[in-house]
Amino acid sequence: MAQPLALTSGEPAGIGPDITLAAWLRRRELDLPPFYLLGDRAALAERAKTLGLAVELAEVSAAEASTTFARALPVVATGKTVTARPGQPDGTSADAALASIRQAVADVAAGKASAVVTNPIAKNVLYRAGFRHPGHTEFLAELAANGGRAPQPVMMLWSPALAVVPVTIHVSVREALAQLTTDLIVSTARIVVADMKARFSLAAPRLAIAGLNPHAGEDGTLGMEDVEIVAPAVEILRRDGIAVRGPLPADTMFHAAARKTYDCAICMYHDQALIPIKTVAFEDAVNVTLGLPFIRTSPDHGTAFDIAGTGKANPSSLIAALRLAARMAAASS
């Protein structure tokens, strides 16, 4: 039997508990892969009560999760008690969320789990507690380093209709322009190709590289960045033997016919990548971190404090994240 997926609790006052419970309740209908939640069983039981859900919860070890999954939602304790109420993060939120992430990574490293799936965190809550990373992606890279040199994490948003990667991630547009280099584009694209081969079973991934400026700069008349930064990266990648096109005008890259010509779009900044995929696949897009020594997926949405505990949260993106993590783990084995 394959190892289960390690699912983090995320922000305990958000919708993570809601969608976890909802996903488990649909396990037979959707033939979901076994997973266990790293968190506080009592807090999860209280959320189930709030939602009016009859969910059997079992506090188990990671080794017992797969055999428990059919009859009860397996919960592996992290040693952190949660007192946060739906929509009301408190002093327990940050410690609980971070302990869950650390334990999930440790479990995969120890061979207890096949992949990490993360529920949404509230970065503003973590920042108030001293968290110094821009987000999940960068924190996971530090955990992967285990005291050594951190790998370059690459954020991919994946759906059956479209996969996108922003070269620069959680920074302002001004800072994104300052960070953007030929070397960064090349290293990001190489990681994408390596992981799409190893974990998505694509023998020869096709990349489309977006230009930075309108109309990819119009040969420099709308800015020299595409000529001086992006185009040289494309040439280097071609010399690597990668199937790549660009720099391409971003405004014509994402319609249905264009999407059929590539497996992943490499974009220059956050919104250039995320606006199209959230338009095309808002309900089932999955956040995937590439470049790590372990598999990590996540729902492509936030904590949604306003609907936590109301029963309105849609588990579709979490379900897609669980399925994709299992698929990637199977391809890597």
Side-chain angles (χ1 to χ4, degrees), residues 145-171:
N146 196 25
R149 183 177 179 182
Q152 179 189 343
V154 170
M155 185 174 83
M156 170 186 279
L157 279 295
W158 180 92
S159 76
L162 175 65
V164 297
V165 165
V167 174
T168 60
I169 310 178
H170 297 115
V171 295

Side-chain angles (χ1 to χ4, degrees), residues 79-333:
K80 299 295 182 181
T81 300
V82 171
T83 59
R85 305 291 297 170
Q88 301 172 40
D90 66 16
T92 67
S93 290
D95 281 350
L98 295 176
S100 183
I101 298 167
R102 290 191 183 99
Q103 188 60 51
V105 172
D107 283 358
V108 173
K112 298 176 182 179
S114 59
V116 175
V117 181
T118 58
N119 266 309
I121 55 174
K123 286 177 279 190
N124 62 327
V125 174
L126 298 184
Y127 293 156
R128 291 198 296 270
F131 188 67
R132 67 183 187 280
H133 302 280
H136 255 132
T137 303
E138 298 81 2
F139 182 46
L140 289 164
E142 180 182 277
L143 294 176
N146 196 25
R149 183 177 179 182
Q152 179 189 343
V154 170
M155 185 174 83
M156 170 186 279
L157 279 295
W158 180 92
S159 76
L162 175 65
V164 297
V165 165
V167 174
T168 60
I169 310 178
H170 297 115
V171 295
S172 68
V173 174
R174 186 185 300 275
E175 179 61 22
L177 183 56
Q179 288 185 7
L180 192 67
T181 65
T182 297
D183 286 346
L184 183 59
I185 297 169
V186 169
S187 63
T188 299
R190 285 172 173 165
I191 289 168
V192 171
V193 169
D195 272 22
M196 293 193 89
K197 286 181 178 179
R199 294 175 172 171
F200 288 81
S201 302
L202 290 174
R206 302 165 299 163
L207 303 184
I209 310 290
L212 173 69
N213 295 305
H215 309 295
E218 290 278 14
D219 293 324
T221 59
L222 297 178
M224 292 300 296
E225 291 85 1
D226 292 294
V227 174
E228 297 176 349
I229 298 174
V230 185
V234 174
E235 288 307 311
I236 292 169
L237 294 168
R238 283 185 181 137
R239 291 199 295 270
D240 283 353
I242 294 171
V244 59
R245 294 182 299 123
L248 302 173
D251 62 351
T252 58
M253 282 179 56
F254 300 106
H255 61 83
R259 296 198 304 269
K260 293 177 182 178
T261 66
Y262 57 82
D263 300 301
C264 183
I266 308 295
C267 302
M268 297 303 104
Y269 56 93
H270 183 278
D271 283 11
Q272 190 183 55
L274 271 67
I275 287 173
I277 194 164
K278 290 194 175 186
T279 301
V280 170
F282 188 79
E283 298 292 351
D284 58 1
V286 178
N287 188 335
V288 186
T289 304
L290 308 180
L292 302 178
F294 53 85
I295 294 163
R296 179 263 178 160
T297 67
S298 180
D300 181 28
H301 57 66
T303 53
F305 286 132
D306 58 321
I307 60 170
T310 68
K312 296 179 181 178
N314 186 341
S316 296
S317 190
L318 174 60
I319 289 167
L322 292 163
R323 283 178 154 167
L324 182 60
R327 169 184 156 185
M328 292 172 69
S332 304
S333 61

